[in-house]
Amino acid sequence: MRGHYAVLVLAAVFGLAGCAETTLFNHAAKSVIRGGEPGQAGAGKGGIYKVGNPYQINGVWYYPKEDPNYDETGIGSWYGEQFHGKQTANGEIFDMNEVTAAHPTLPMPSLVRVTNLENGRSIVVRMNDRGPYANNRIIDLSRRSAQLLGYERQGTAKVRVQYIGPAPLGGEAAPTMVASRGTGGDERPAAAPRGGVSAEALPPPPGAKGRSAEVAKPAEGQPSPMQILAAQRPQGSTAAAPAEAATDLKQQKVEVGPARGGQIYVQVGAFTLHENAHKLAAQMSLIGPANVSSTFVNKQEFFRVRLGPFNQVAAADQALQQVISNGQTNARIVVE
């Protein structure tokens, strides 16, 4: 119960708004989910294969699962010194100078490709931690990863995250499935509610269909994801990677493609009934310009309610908090 109480206290802090409070909440919530004490193993060692049970942070339920078709766009952030040398959610040791990341729901450890849509840079990272939870960010990169993608200094970026496959465990031939512990130590989390949810599943971003298989099988003569991941690691021991490392890419396996940019929206919900979507859009118009657009998923039409587009991440964050304060806790930031 202490873990749940801590989350409630953190939620109150989060409600104060502001960048500092948001960062504090994100890091503190990560601490609650992790649990345990720091170990001595290095990155990729001492960890276990872990999917985990549903859990709740700041009134939002997260459902960890294996999702081989995961391909999402959104806002990425990064974390560093606050957790350097501490245990990750699957028992590895976080090193801010390694190419790793945290994700709310994907199994750990996994290999994922992260693309900075603002400059076209793309890298493969080892996902071995849980987070982020601030403003519906979709991934939290290590400092080194953020440097390689070119957004360490600005703090956030519009990114695309694609699941490649499970990452090998240190010293183990095959992963072993384990159940995660609850946020209060050995206590299992309460069953997650599944009724009364107005939002419905949406399709992946344009061009996402079939991309998981495409990424998982590199072209002949091209380096594999694991080779790319190894090449991205800084040479030497635990010396901190310099801030200017992101500009020296001669020895780094960082792919650079065309920058797509993309518009930032706050997606409030998606409905199969046009009338329900327009009712919600009318309510959201008090916050900002709301629109209803349609899309098809398996030949089923859905009507999406969105605010935006926004030119700045900060403006989208502010609108998102207003939407959540109005009871739409399933709202999220999307990039298209």
Side-chain angles (χ1 to χ4, degrees):
M1 292 302 293
R2 286 181 296 178
H4 293 294
Y5 176 75
V7 171
L8 291 176
V9 172
L10 293 169
V13 174
F14 185 60
L16 295 177
C19 180
E21 288 81 359
T22 297
T23 302
L24 172 62
F25 174 83
N26 191 32
H27 291 156
K30 194 189 296 287
S31 296
V32 173
I33 288 298
R34 284 174 170 184
E37 296 296 331
Q40 299 299 320
K45 297 180 181 179
I48 58 175
Y49 182 77
K50 181 175 181 179
V51 178
N53 296 320
Y55 62 97
Q56 187 183 42
I57 295 290
N58 195 34
V60 178
W61 281 97
Y62 297 89
Y63 300 89
K65 65 177 181 178
E66 294 177 326
D67 187 359
N69 297 316
Y70 184 90
D71 188 340
E72 296 287 342
T73 58
I75 306 300
S77 54
W78 69 270
Y79 66 121
E81 293 182 359
Q82 296 90 340
F83 285 95
H84 184 70
K86 296 183 179 180
Q87 198 172 54
T88 69
N90 79 323
E92 297 181 17
I93 300 302
F94 174 65
D95 185 338
M96 66 181 179
N97 299 316
E98 291 284 343
V99 184
T100 61
H103 189 274
T105 59
L106 287 175
M108 302 171 288
S110 294
L111 295 179
V112 298
R113 178 175 293 279
V114 184
T115 302
N116 185 341
L117 299 177
E118 298 173 11
N119 60 18
R121 292 184 184 179
S122 179
I123 61 174
V124 175
V125 304
R126 179 185 181 90
M127 198 286 292
N128 63 357
D129 205 358
R130 284 286 177 243
Y133 305 107
N135 295 326
N136 291 113
R137 305 290 189 246
I138 66 171
I139 197 165
D140 218 9
L141 298 182
S142 67
R143 187 183 73 170
R144 180 58 175 165
S145 301
Q147 288 174 346
L148 292 173
L149 282 181
Y151 74 79
E152 179 203 12
R153 293 185 179 181
Q154 70 190 60
T156 60
K158 293 177 283 188
V159 299
R160 180 181 185 181
V161 180
Q162 298 165 277
Y163 176 79
I164 295 177
L169 294 175
E172 286 193 27
T176 302
M177 179 77 75
V178 297
S180 71
R181 296 188 301 177
T183 54
D186 292 329
E187 183 181 359
R188 296 174 64 88
R194 297 187 180 274
V197 179
S198 61
E200 303 180 50
L202 293 179
K209 185 177 182 181
R211 291 305 294 260
S212 294
E214 177 185 331
V215 173
K217 297 179 180 179
E220 185 176 355
Q222 296 297 315
S224 69
M226 284 306 298
Q227 290 172 326
I228 294 174
L229 187 60
Q232 289 164 170
R233 290 173 180 161
Q235 299 299 316
S237 57
T238 58
E244 61 271 16
T247 61
D248 182 11
L249 303 177
K250 293 181 181 179
Q251 302 300 320
Q252 303 294 344
K253 291 293 183 179
V254 179
E255 300 177 17
V256 180
R260 294 195 314 167
Q263 301 284 355
I264 306 174
Y265 298 89
V266 172
Q267 181 152 306
V268 186
F271 304 86
T272 55
L273 295 179
H274 187 268
E275 180 182 0
N276 290 343
H278 274 274
K279 284 182 179 178
L280 181 57
Q283 297 174 15
M284 293 298 103
S285 63
L286 298 176
I287 297 175
N291 61 82
V292 176
S293 60
S294 66
T295 188
F296 285 85
V297 181
N298 297 326
K299 299 182 179 181
Q300 170 68 59
E301 186 173 19
F302 287 85
F303 299 95
R304 304 175 300 190
V305 180
R306 290 179 169 181
L307 295 179
F310 300 93
N311 294 325
Q312 302 292 330
V313 173
D317 286 343
Q318 183 177 7
L320 176 65
Q321 292 309 310
Q322 289 181 279
V323 169
I324 292 176
S325 297
N326 276 269
Q328 302 300 323
T329 56
N330 290 310
R332 61 191 178 95
I333 291 179
V334 297
V335 176
E336 268 190 11

